[in-house]
Amino acid sequence: MRAADYPGPFAALVRELRRLPGVGPRSAERMALWLLDDGERPTALADALAAARDGVRQCAACGFFAIEEKCVICLDDDREDLLCVVERATDILPIERSGAFHGVYHALGGRLSPLEHVGPEDLHLVELTSRLERGAFTEVILALSTDVEGEATANYLSDLLAPRGVRVSRLAQGMPAGGGLEHADELTLARAMAGRHRAGGGELAPGQKGG
Amino acid sequence: MRAADYPGPFAALVRELRRLPGVGPRSAERMALWLLDDGERPTALADALAAARDGVRQCAACGFFAIEEKCVICLDDDREDLLCVVERATDILPIERSGAFHGVYHALGGRLSPLEHVGPEDLHLVELTSRLERGAFTEVILALSTDVEGEATANYLSDLLAPRGVRVSRLAQGMPAGGGLEHADELTLARAMAGRHRAGGGELAPGQKGG
């Protein structure tokens, strides 16, 4: 005899579930067992997958998820004249949820990465500059990754946008909220130190900073 | 303005993914984003769900997952004449994978639970006794949970099967493999102590045991 295993379609479902981010072999098996425990469950999930695949598209303006041509953010008339540039559409909701920004967004579709052959022509830069020409934005906020490629992309965008006279800013870098010093890496600490401000508010004068 | 959220079909997909065992709100969102990042992915998962739902059934004999009327275990002619009784079909593969059992199985479909109104008539007991009448099993091994309801079910089955002259055994209880004493609960320790055997093999004589 040989040790039995799950039948083919079951094993195929486990394989598909394992592709999901954060799902290991054990949890994929547990999910498949749970799904097949009630005939309604695989149908409900399959229907939701089809509906999301067919019903969700990219906003023509900013790249966020949309049902119509434009997303709810771009259609919202109460937004401020601020444009927040992010790498991916998925970066938009975390900023929305922070409640700290009330403008609109522009997803680049990635960032400059010579190693991965991603150049300026691969990002939505033409769309960005044409939006800036059409719209009356008072400020462009670059909310990009804080690694080397994100920094390079931010520098490239700063140079690109400088001649347009629009104010270009970047997110502050420093200690993450709720994190103790013992958990911060050296680069984070160095940037938090370089960006330090006067206790009680206000920036230090440039000469008082070390960096 | 109000903070934007994902469009309806996306949120519905997140809700469905959250129903999966072990999936919290963050990971459901991450899965949905990953799925919608490539149009092939929701289709592949939806197809696998439909194929598993339509192609996998319960073995008519033992209750394990099957494609035909009987599962690969019941169709395997090289199995020994041992019948292992488990609560659920999902208990079968862990035993198969242990490599320690080479007989066939019988899933009860649950266990006795007065609190949940599960009585003997709710379990596949008629099927069990008729299998024992038809088949020439040398031993029935009760591989049930070690909690109160599993114990009660095992006792009920022992009484039910006693008149049939078949040998009925139960899994050993004791320390789990690889676990230190400091991680074992008191009941596990008590059962491991009561079931202790002579170092080097062999059981102690009944009088030498405490319990």
Side-chain angles (χ1 to χ4, degrees):
Chain A
M1 62 147 271
R2 59 208 156 74
D5 212 330
Y6 292 116
F10 186 99
L13 175 58
V14 172
R15 271 197 304 278
E16 275 304 318
L17 290 167
R18 276 203 62 181
R19 294 177 64 198
L20 293 170
V23 175
R26 292 263 164 199
S27 44
E29 196 175 299
R30 206 148 40 95
M31 288 173 181
L33 289 170
W34 180 86
L35 282 162
L36 292 191
D37 202 34
D38 178 344
E40 169 272 334
R41 291 173 186 165
T43 307
L45 181 51
D47 289 351
L49 285 161
R53 178 196 60 202
D54 301 337
V56 178
R57 57 162 116 176
Q58 284 195 328
C59 172
C62 74
F64 187 59
F65 301 97
I67 297 183
E68 308 296 331
E69 194 197 351
K70 288 200 174 184
C71 72
V72 289
I73 300 174
C74 288
L75 291 173
D76 185 349
D77 289 334
D78 295 338
R79 296 269 164 171
E80 297 173 6
D81 293 331
L82 304 172
L83 184 64
C84 180
V85 176
V86 296
E87 293 175 10
R88 311 210 142 269
T90 52
D91 298 332
I92 293 176
L93 260 198
I95 300 175
E96 279 291 296
R97 287 172 179 166
S98 76
F101 178 74
H102 306 119
V104 295
Y105 299 87
H106 188 85
L108 294 173
R111 58 197 179 164
L112 299 178
S113 172
L115 284 176
E116 293 170 25
H117 306 290
V118 179
E121 67 283 0
D122 299 311
L123 304 180
H124 299 310
L125 297 182
V126 176
E127 294 88 338
L128 174 61
T129 49
S130 82
R131 280 184 83 180
L132 289 174
E133 272 157 28
R134 287 198 314 273
F137 293 106
T138 55
E139 182 177 347
V140 175
I141 300 162
L142 306 179
L144 306 177
S145 305
T146 55
D147 55 10
V148 175
E149 294 174 342
E151 297 283 334
T153 308
N155 291 336
Y156 181 90
L157 285 174
S158 298
D159 293 347
L160 180 76
L161 302 179
R164 299 181 175 271
V166 66
R167 182 177 168 191
V168 179
S169 61
R170 300 179 56 179
L171 293 187
Q173 291 190 35
M175 298 291 296
L181 275 182
E182 71 275 23
H183 298 120
D185 61 290
E186 292 167 17
L187 189 57
T188 297
L189 274 173
R191 288 177 178 176
M193 193 63 76
R196 70 191 182 276
H197 51 74
R198 196 183 299 277
E203 265 199 286
L204 291 177
Q208 293 179 267
K209 284 196 189 181
Chain B
M1 63 148 271
R2 58 205 159 73
D5 211 330
Y6 291 115
F10 186 100
L13 175 58
V14 172
R15 272 198 304 278
E16 275 303 318
L17 290 167
R18 276 203 63 181
R19 295 177 63 199
L20 293 170
V23 175
R26 291 264 165 198
S27 44
E29 196 175 299
R30 208 149 36 96
M31 288 174 181
L33 290 170
W34 180 86
L35 282 162
L36 292 191
D37 202 35
D38 177 345
E40 170 272 335
R41 292 173 185 166
T43 307
L45 181 52
D47 289 351
L49 285 161
R53 179 195 60 202
D54 301 337
V56 178
R57 56 163 117 176
Q58 284 196 327
C59 172
C62 74
F64 187 58
F65 301 95
I67 297 182
E68 308 296 328
E69 194 196 351
K70 287 199 174 185
C71 72
V72 290
I73 301 174
C74 289
L75 292 172
D76 185 348
D77 289 334
D78 295 337
R79 294 272 165 170
E80 297 172 6
D81 294 330
L82 304 172
L83 184 64
C84 180
V85 176
V86 295
E87 293 174 9
R88 311 209 144 269
T90 52
D91 299 331
I92 293 176
L93 260 199
I95 300 175
E96 279 291 295
R97 287 172 179 167
S98 75
F101 178 73
H102 305 119
V104 295
Y105 299 86
H106 188 85
L108 294 173
R111 57 196 181 164
L112 299 178
S113 172
L115 284 177
E116 293 169 26
H117 306 290
V118 180
E121 67 283 0
D122 299 310
L123 305 180
H124 300 309
L125 297 181
V126 176
E127 294 88 338
L128 174 62
T129 50
S130 81
R131 280 185 83 180
L132 289 174
E133 272 158 27
R134 287 197 316 273
F137 292 107
T138 55
E139 183 177 346
V140 174
I141 299 163
L142 305 180
L144 306 176
S145 304
T146 54
D147 55 11
V148 175
E149 295 174 343
E151 297 282 334
T153 309
N155 291 337
Y156 181 90
L157 286 174
S158 298
D159 293 346
L160 180 76
L161 302 180
R164 299 182 176 269
V166 67
R167 183 177 167 192
V168 180
S169 60
R170 300 179 56 179
L171 293 188
Q173 291 191 34
M175 298 290 296
L181 275 181
E182 72 274 23
H183 298 121
D185 61 290
E186 291 168 17
L187 189 57
T188 296
L189 274 173
R191 288 176 179 177
M193 193 62 78
R196 69 190 183 279
H197 52 73
R198 194 184 298 277
E203 266 199 285
L204 291 177
Q208 291 178 270
K209 285 198 191 180

